[in-house]
Amino acid sequence: MSNDEHEAFVPTPVVVLPVVAAEPPFRMVEINGEVAGTARDMLDVIKLAHGAGLNPIDLDDPADVRWVGGGKYKWVP
């Protein structure tokens, strides 16, 4: 039996999904598995996280935020 068997899976609280090609482009943001809203930039991600009670939030920490379909600088298709 290894230590890994005793570690629980903890999902990343904030997931930023790929860019949606709209005018203007945006990314959907999920917080704790629920759609929290849309973001047009990093500041929107921070606002959504803070609104959900996640404070502080580190956009560079993969334990806090998972970027899908591009990193934090990807905001256009």
Side-chain angles (χ1 to χ4, degrees):
M1 190 178 298
S2 71
N3 288 338
D4 292 340
E5 293 176 23
H6 296 288
E7 292 181 23
F9 172 73
V10 178
T12 306
V14 179
V15 177
V16 183
L17 299 173
V19 176
V20 175
E23 192 53 47
F26 65 91
R27 296 174 79 162
M28 296 297 297
V29 178
E30 294 179 351
I31 297 179
N32 296 321
E34 301 288 329
V35 174
T38 61
R40 296 193 184 340
D41 55 33
M42 288 183 278
L43 184 57
D44 287 343
V45 175
I46 292 168
K47 287 178 183 177
L48 288 167
H50 286 184
L54 299 175
N55 190 16
I57 188 85
D58 182 351
L59 299 180
D60 294 319
D61 186 347
D64 284 350
V65 181
R66 181 166 55 104
W67 299 91
V68 180
K72 66 181 182 180
Y73 297 113
K74 175 77 174 170
W75 294 98
V76 292

